[in-house]
Amino acid sequence: MKLFHAKILLWLAILFSFTVSAQASQLDELQSLARNGAAQLALQTMDRVQPDLLRDKKQWVEWEKARISIYQYSNDWQALAQRVDELPTRLPVDFMRWVQTEQARAFIMLGQGKKAVWVLQNLIWNLPEDKAVTQKWLPQWRRLVIDSYINYQQNEDAKIAATRYYQGIKEQQVDDLLLRAHIYLVNNLPGDAQTILEPHKDDMQ
C-alpha cells in the first residue's frame, strides 16, 4: 500500500511539473505574440487560459505580471490602470507593491500625475519597518513622485521632492542633472540650474 501511495505521489509530481512547464511555455508564446503586434489577441487568449487564482495563486500572479507587461508593450496605459483597480484582494504583498508601482507609471503616461501621487503616497505610508523592503522600493517611489508632480505642474512640490530624493545620491547621471536643472527652471531659478549643470558641461557634449 505504501509503495502504491508513493507511485501516486510521484505521478502527481510529474504531472504538476509538466503542467507548470506547459503554462510557462504558453505564457512565453503569448508575450511574443504581443511584442509582434497582436496584443489584443494575446490578451483575449489569456482571458480564456490564465490559471485559476484559487487553485494556483503563484501561477496566476506570473500570468498577471505578463498581462501587465502586454499592456505596456501596447501602450495601453488606461487598461493597465483599470486592471490594477479591479484586482482581487489578498494577493501577495510584494506583487501588489510591484503592480501598483506600474499603475503609478501608467497614470504618469496618461497625464494623471495627481492619481500617481495618490498611489505612491499610499505605498510609502504603508511601507513596513523592514530595511530590505525599504531599500528595494522607496527610492523608485520617491523618484516617481518627482515625475508625478512635474506631470501635473506642481513645480514647488517637485523641487521639494527632488531635494529630498537627491540629497542622499552622490553619483548622479546626466539625466538626473538635467531633471534637477529642469525643476529649477520651472521654478524660476535659472541660477540654481546653471550651478547644477556647469561642473558637468563637458560630460554633456
Side-chain angles (χ1 to χ4, degrees):
M1 184 64 71
K2 289 183 179 179
L3 181 60
F4 175 75
H5 285 162
K7 288 182 177 179
I8 290 294
L9 290 173
L10 178 61
W11 181 83
L12 289 173
I14 293 172
L15 179 62
F16 176 76
S17 68
F18 278 135
T19 301
V20 171
S21 177
Q23 289 176 348
S25 177
Q26 190 174 28
L27 193 55
D28 289 341
E29 290 175 2
L30 290 173
Q31 288 180 289
S32 178
L33 191 65
R35 284 192 293 268
N36 285 283
Q40 283 304 118
L41 178 59
L43 290 168
Q44 289 169 5
T45 305
M46 290 185 78
D47 289 338
R48 295 196 304 271
V49 301
Q50 183 171 1
D52 182 74
L53 173 60
L54 297 178
R55 293 182 179 179
D56 193 341
K57 182 179 289 187
K58 184 177 179 180
Q59 281 297 308
W60 185 92
V61 165
E62 290 304 310
W63 279 64
E64 200 62 21
K65 287 180 179 178
R67 182 189 295 271
I68 295 299
S69 297
I70 290 172
Y71 289 139
Q72 293 169 329
Y73 297 150
S74 55
N75 296 322
D76 196 348
W77 308 112
Q78 186 61 52
L80 191 160
Q82 183 176 343
R83 180 73 181 184
V84 177
D85 281 338
E86 295 172 352
L87 286 175
T89 58
R90 299 183 181 179
L91 293 173
V93 174
D94 203 56
F95 168 71
M96 287 306 300
R97 291 188 184 119
W98 174 79
V99 79
Q100 288 176 323
T101 302
E102 299 311 309
Q103 184 187 43
R105 296 185 203 275
F107 280 136
I108 293 170
M109 296 301 296
L110 290 166
Q112 299 175 12
K114 192 171 184 177
K115 288 184 178 180
V117 168
W118 186 89
V119 171
L120 293 163
Q121 287 179 339
N122 187 58
L123 287 166
I124 292 170
W125 291 335
N126 287 285
L127 197 62
E129 294 183 6
D130 183 308
K131 186 176 180 180
V133 173
T134 299
Q135 289 177 340
K136 177 180 179 179
W137 292 108
L138 190 58
Q140 60 179 302
W141 290 342
R142 284 183 169 172
R143 179 63 178 79
L144 286 170
V145 165
I146 298 170
D147 292 338
S148 303
Y149 281 137
I150 293 172
N151 188 261
Y152 77 113
Q153 300 179 343
Q154 297 298 301
N155 298 328
E156 178 64 22
D157 287 332
K159 182 168 73 71
I160 293 170
T163 299
R164 182 181 298 121
Y165 174 75
Y166 283 112
Q167 66 184 1
I169 301 178
K170 294 181 180 179
E171 296 184 8
Q172 297 176 26
Q173 304 299 316
V174 171
D175 287 347
D176 295 310
L177 299 170
L178 291 173
L179 174 65
R180 293 177 65 194
H182 169 75
I183 292 171
Y184 281 128
L185 288 173
V186 297
N187 278 282
N188 297 313
L189 297 168
D192 289 335
Q194 184 174 0
T195 299
I196 289 290
L197 296 177
E198 187 67 28
H200 306 278
K201 60 182 181 181
D202 292 338
D203 298 332
M204 299 179 187
Q205 294 178 353

